[in-house]
Each structure stands twice: as structure tokens, then as C-alpha cells.
Amino acid sequence: MDFRTRYPDYAPVEKQIRDAGLVGAVVVSSALAEFLADCWNALKQPPAPAPILIDRRRESRNNVARIATRLAHR
């Protein structure tokens, strides 16, 4: 990870991180921070529109719901 190109303000800190051997921790923490930012942005998006539900039970029955008065025999 090269901080000089992505974050030029933190170039002095990069040397201290390399000297301490914490490069792996920085990579993991950066990935975790990006993941949390993506999750937060996904939560801020507006909800998806509700699906259109069609009640097909009343289509061919003259607006009367289907009622089974007896069991169908085969």
C-alpha cells in the first residue's frame, strides 16, 4: 500500500508504519473502513418501491372471493 499516491499528507506516517511492521494491520483496517462506508451508503439509499400485487382471485368471479363449499372429488 503506497500512501504517497493515495494520501500525500500521511507520507511521514508511512515510514513509521513500515518501521513498526504494521503494514498488514493498515491494509485490513483500510478494507474494514471501506466496507463500513459502503454499508452506510447502502443504508442511506431510499427503499425500493413496493411490488405491484394483483389479486387474481377476483378476476373471473364477478368480484366474489373464491370459497370452497365442498371438497372436490376426483
Side-chain angles (χ1 to χ4, degrees), residues 20-35:
L22 299 174
V23 176
V26 172
V27 172
V28 171
S29 64
S30 176
L32 182 62
E34 289 178 13
F35 174 74

Side-chain angles (χ1 to χ4, degrees), residues 2-73:
D2 189 18
F3 282 103
R4 283 178 229 141
T5 56
R6 279 182 82 178
Y7 307 105
D9 297 341
Y10 295 112
V13 178
E14 181 184 11
K15 184 176 182 310
Q16 293 176 354
I17 290 172
R18 289 192 190 278
D19 290 343
L22 299 174
V23 176
V26 172
V27 172
V28 171
S29 64
S30 176
L32 182 62
E34 289 178 13
F35 174 74
L36 291 175
D38 290 342
C39 289
W40 179 254
N41 290 335
L43 288 174
K44 290 191 322 186
Q45 290 181 354
I52 298 172
L53 299 177
I54 299 172
D55 189 8
R56 296 201 181 272
R57 293 176 295 177
R58 297 178 186 267
E59 270 185 6
S60 63
R61 300 281 180 156
N62 296 332
N63 267 345
V64 176
R66 291 182 184 179
I67 299 174
T69 57
R70 59 190 170 109
L71 296 175
H73 295 286

